Amino acid sequence: MDALEISRARHELPAPAKVRFQETPGLSEEVVRRISRSKDEPDWMLALRLEALKAFTAKAMPDWPGMPDLSPLDLDAITYYVAPEARESRTWDEVPKEIKETFERLGIPEAERKALGGVGGQWDSEVVYHNLKQELEAQGVIFENLDVAVRKYPELVRKRFGTCISLNDHKFISLHYAVWSGGTFIYVPKGVKVEIPLQAYFRMNTRSMGQFEHTLIVVDDGAELHYIEGCSAPRYETSSLHAGGVEIFVGKGARCRYSSVENWSRNTFNLNTKRAIVERGGTIEWVGGNLGSGATMLYPCSILKGEGARAEHISIAFAAHGQDQDTGAKVYHLAPRTTSTIKAKSISQGGGRTNYRGHLFIRPGAKGSKASVECDALMFDAESKTDTMPSLEIKEPDVEVAHEARVGRISDENIFYLMSRGLSEEQAVEMIVNGFLEPVTKELPVEYAVELNKLITLEIEGGLG
Amino acid sequence: MAGTIASLKGRHAGIDADALPSPAHVTTPTGAWTFLEERGRKEERGRKGSESASGRTGGTHTISYDAPEGIAITAFKDLSVEDAELVRERLMTLVPPTDTAAAQHLRELDDGLLIKVARPVFRPLFLRHTVAGDSAHHTLVFLASGSQAKIVETFAGEGRVSHVTEAFLGENSHLVHAAVQEVAGGLLSRKAASIGRDASADWFELEANDGFTFSRITSFLDGPDAAASVSSAYLGGGASRIDVGARAEHRAPHGTSGLLTRGALAGDAKAIYEGALAIGADAAKSEAFQQEHCLLLSDRAEVRASPTLYIDNNDVRCSHAATAGKPDPERLFYLMARGIPEAEAHRMLVKAFVWPAVEAVPAYARGIIAPLAERAIARFTEATR
C-alpha cells in the first residue's frame, strides 16, 4: 500500500520573519569570534568556543556500524548563527506578530494558558519570549535564557558549563560548543520542589540553519524539577542540523525529570547530546519521544556517580519512510547500590528504520547495583527495518543485570478481535499502538501525551492509506 | 592424490593476511571489544614448513577417528580429483578470509578433513584432536539430501590452534555438532553452516580452554523451514580471555533459530559475548531468539555482552535476553545447611547454572557430551575455588 504524505502542514510553513543578523555559511574562527562578540561574552566562554573549534576540526566524522547516513550533511553550507529581529520579551503581547503567529500555530499559548510555569520560546537561536512566574522567582529558582545567564550568573554557570559533557567527546559536541547559542539555564536551590513543569519550545526557521542551543540544568540537593522540551522545524530542501547539548546536574537526594518530544522536519539531522550526572541518592528521569527528522543519533546518558543514585529512561522512536532513528540510552554505574531502568519502544513503518543503541557500564566496586533494559520494536510492514545493538559491560559480580528485547508486528488476531467488536481497522491499529506506547505516554503531561498520540495517529494514518 | 594443500587454497591466493582488519568486534565509548591484539596474534611465524601434518612452527595436530558406515572421511592430502575440486570450490566460503584471523588460518593451513555423509547415520563420529604447538586445521562437512550425522569433536593438548569447520547441509539433512574444547594455550575456532530447505544444524560447544578462546558459530538459514540452534557454555578461570559469539542469519522464510550461551567466570577471567540474529527481507515468518547468561564468581571477573538484532522483515518473532550476576548466597546457604561442604555446594551451583546448555543438546547426542561437560566443570570449580 502507498504511504501517503503525512499532513504536517500545521508545522511546516515557514513564516517570513525579518532576520536581524545572519552569519555567512560555513565555520571558521572568524564566525566563532563574531558569535561570541555579538553576545558580549566573557573571555572564558570565547576561549572554550575556540578550543571546541580546534577539537571539531581535528576530529573525523563518526564511523559506527549501522549508523544513519550523514553524507548529505554539508557542514560548510550551514549557517551557524541567526538572530531574529525581535528582542527578548517579557509578556506574550510584546512578541512580533509573525513569530507569535507561528508559535500560536504550534500551540504554545494554549499550554501557557494552562498555567504551566514560565515558558521560554526560541526563535532562530535567541530566546524571544520568556516569562517566569513570581512564585518561582521568590523561591530563588532561576529560569533564564542561557546567553543572559552567562552574564547574569557567571559563577553558577561557569562552575558547571561544559563539565558534564566534555567538548572533546565527539565531533558534533565539539561543533556545538564552538557555536552554541541560546538555550535554557535552570537553577533550583536546595530543597525547593518546583511543582509545575517548566517548558521551552524550539524553532528553526532559516534555510540551512543549524540549531545549537545549550541547556544547563542544576537541581541542588533535595530539590525537584520537571523540565519539558518540544521541537519543530519547517521543511526545506537543504539539510538542517540540530546539534544541541543538554547538561543536567542532579544533587544529593534531588530529582530531575527531563521530558522532550522531538519532532523536527524530515530534512533535519538531529545529532543531539544529553547527559546527566547524579549524586548520592539522586534521581534522573529521561522521558523522550523521537518522531521527526530524517536522521537522529541521540543517546541520553546517565552517570550514576553517588551511592544509591537512580536513572530511568523511557523513550519512543517512530520512523516512517526515509527516516532513520538511531537512539538509545547510556548508563554508567560508578557507585554501589545504583539502579537504572531503561524502557525503549520503537515503531517503524513504510521503510523507516529504528535502532536501539545502548551502553550499560558497571564499574568494579559498584556492589549491589541493579540494571534492567527492555527494548520493544514494532514493525508495521515488510519494508521497515529495526536493529538492536545493546552493549553491556559488567565488571562487578555483586549486581543484577537483565536485558531483553522483542521484535514483532501487530498480530492479525488482535486486529480481528477489535474489528469484530465494531472498530474499523484504523481504529484497531491505533488502539493497539497506543497500548504499545502507553508506558511512555503515561509519563508525559496530559497535553504532551495528547499531542504525541495525535502525531503518531497522523503518521500511522498516512501509512495505512 | 590430487595436488597439494596449496592448490586447494588456490582461489584465495594473493590475500595479505597482515593487511586485513581484525575480525569484526564491538566498539563502545570504553574501547574495543577484542582480545586478539592483546594476544599478539600478528607475531611472525616461522616459515620452515615440513612434510608432516604440522603447523608451520613445528606443532603437531593429530586427529584420531573411527568413521561409522555411511560417513566417508578423507584427509585433504589424500583427496581424489573430484573431491579436490569440491574442496577448492567451497573452502573458506562460509568463513571468508576477509579478516586477519581467517586469512592467517588459510595461510597456515596444513591439512584438513573432508567428511561426506550420504545417508542417515546414527552412530556418532568422534574426532579427537590432540595438539602440541601451533597448528591450523580445517573440517569440511557435506550432508547429502536426507542424511543425518552426529559429529563430536574434542580438542585437548597444549598449543595454539586455529580450527575452522564449514558444513553444507542439503535438503532435509540434519547435523548435530558437539565440541568440547580443552586446549591449554589458545584456540581460534570458527564454525559455520549453510542450511538448506527443511534441514537443521544443532551446535553444542563447551569452551574450557586455559588461556585464550575465540569462537564464532554462524548458521546461514538459506532454505525455507531451516532450523539452527546453538547451545554453548564457557568456563574461564585464572587469566582466561574468552571471546565467543553465535550468529544466525535468516535468508529464507519460516526459519527458526535459538542461540543460548551460558558462562562462568572466576579469577581474572574476562569474557566477551557477541551474538547476532539477522533476519533478511525475504525471511518472513521466521522465529529467532537469543540468550546469554553469565555467572561472575570473583571480583575481578568481567563480562561484556552485546546481543544484537538486525531485522528487515516485520512478519517475524524475535527476542533476546542477557543477564549477569553472582551466585545466589541463599542457595549456597541452603545446600550447606543440608550438610554439603562449601566447595561441593559451590560446584553444584556452577554446574546448575551451566547445565541448561548441555540439556539443550538433542537427546541422542547428550549422552556423549554430558560426562565430558561434567568433568570440565569439576576441573573448573576445583581450580577456581
Side-chain angles (χ1 to χ4, degrees), chain A residues 383-394:
Chain A
E383 289 79 47
S384 314
K385 299 182 201 306
T386 191
D387 298 334
T388 310
M389 301 176 187
S391 56
L392 299 86
E393 271 187 68
I394 318 297

Side-chain angles (χ1 to χ4, degrees), chain A residues 43-254:
Chain A
D43 292 333
W44 67 265
M45 184 56 85
L46 173 61
L48 191 149
R49 288 185 185 273
L50 293 173
E51 199 188 328
L53 177 64
K54 270 216 300 272
F56 167 74
T57 316
K59 284 185 197 307
M61 287 287 271
D63 180 22
W64 303 351
M67 63 176 258
D69 180 18
L70 298 184
S71 53
L73 182 58
D74 183 358
L75 292 172
D76 293 323
I78 293 179
T79 305
Y80 289 97
Y81 182 65
V82 177
E85 197 186 38
R87 286 174 294 111
E88 182 171 338
S89 315
R90 194 73 184 161
T91 68
W92 191 246
D93 293 329
E94 286 178 77
V95 176
K97 188 159 162 288
E98 297 103 14
I99 295 174
K100 218 163 45 166
E101 263 168 21
T102 311
F103 277 121
E104 283 194 26
R105 260 213 311 273
L106 293 175
I108 296 198
E110 292 141 78
E112 161 67 6
R113 272 195 284 272
K114 282 164 189 156
L116 290 169
V119 179
Q122 175 138 332
W123 180 264
D124 287 344
S125 308
E126 282 205 321
V127 175
V128 172
Y129 163 85
H130 220 148
N131 182 22
L132 188 61
K133 300 281 184 211
Q134 274 92 341
E135 309 95 74
L136 290 172
E137 278 178 331
Q139 285 179 299
V141 175
I142 303 172
F143 179 27
E144 186 64 80
N145 167 5
L146 187 56
D147 285 335
V148 170
V150 168
R151 296 190 302 273
K152 206 163 153 190
Y153 309 101
E155 331 77 39
L156 267 180
V157 173
R158 185 174 185 176
K159 181 173 166 204
R160 306 287 198 170
F161 189 93
T163 61
C164 181
I165 309 173
S166 154
L167 60 85
N168 280 310
D169 218 45
H170 61 83
K171 193 171 177 83
F172 289 98
I173 198 68
S174 304
L175 171 64
H176 166 83
Y177 276 118
V179 298
W180 79 268
S181 175
T184 304
F185 174 65
I186 301 180
Y187 174 77
V188 186
K190 287 201 209 320
V192 173
K193 298 190 200 308
V194 180
E195 304 288 342
I196 306 158
L198 301 187
Q199 73 165 344
Y201 209 88
F202 297 115
R203 178 87 179 149
M204 282 202 295
N205 195 17
T206 307
R207 184 180 289 264
S208 255
M209 242 291 292
Q211 184 72 304
F212 307 103
E213 78 285 349
H214 191 95
T215 298
L216 177 58
I217 298 176
V218 181
V219 184
D220 216 327
D221 299 348
E224 273 181 30
L225 171 73
H226 181 185
Y227 181 66
I228 309 176
E229 251 184 62
C231 319
S232 169
R235 188 193 193 113
Y236 283 124
E237 304 92 73
T238 50
S239 307
S240 293
L241 170 64
H242 176 230
V246 175
E247 296 183 290
I248 302 181
F249 296 86
V250 182
K252 299 200 204 358

Side-chain angles (χ1 to χ4, degrees), chain B residues 336-367:
Chain B
M336 288 172 68
R338 273 153 184 66
I340 298 171
E342 185 176 357
E344 176 62 17
H346 191 248
R347 190 196 67 75
M348 287 168 76
L349 285 182
V350 173
K351 179 180 167 184
F353 185 81
V354 172
W355 207 249
V358 174
E359 280 178 343
V361 177
Y364 47 84
R366 202 180 307 144

Side-chain angles (χ1 to χ4, degrees), chain B residues 112-176:
Chain B
L113 287 180
L114 172 65
I115 301 174
K116 295 200 324 196
V117 184
R119 57 176 174 75
V121 175
F122 299 103
R123 253 188 69 206
L125 165 65
F126 280 97
L127 296 167
R128 291 183 178 80
H129 299 249
T130 313
V131 304
D134 300 342
S135 64
H137 196 270
H138 211 99
T139 310
L140 277 178
V141 183
F142 290 89
L143 262 63
S145 286
S147 64
Q148 279 185 39
K150 295 194 280 275
I151 301 178
V152 181
E153 282 190 281
T154 59
F155 291 79
E158 199 171 320
R160 293 185 311 180
V161 187
S162 171
H163 186 258
V164 174
T165 304
E166 295 179 285
F168 299 86
L169 275 55
E171 219 174 283
N172 196 28
S173 63
H174 304 278
L175 173 68
V176 173

Side-chain angles (χ1 to χ4, degrees), chain A residues 332 367 379-382 384-388 390-395 397-399 401-407 409, chain B residues 28-30 33 296 298-299 302-312 314-315 318-326:
Chain A
Y332 291 81
K367 292 187 189 305
M379 298 167 75
F380 266 44
D381 49 49
S384 314
K385 299 182 201 306
T386 191
D387 298 334
T388 310
S391 56
L392 299 86
E393 271 187 68
I394 318 297
K395 303 197 178 196
D398 188 5
V399 298
V401 173
H403 167 101
E404 61 177 302
R406 286 178 293 256
V407 178
R409 53 172 285 208
Chain B
T28 59
T30 49
W33 291 20
L296 298 164
S298 78
D299 283 341
E302 288 177 17
V303 64
R304 290 184 242 186
S306 178
T308 54
L309 296 171
Y310 305 95
I311 315 288
D312 286 356
N314 78 318
D315 195 3
C318 301
S319 65
H320 70 221
T323 65
K326 69 175 207 286

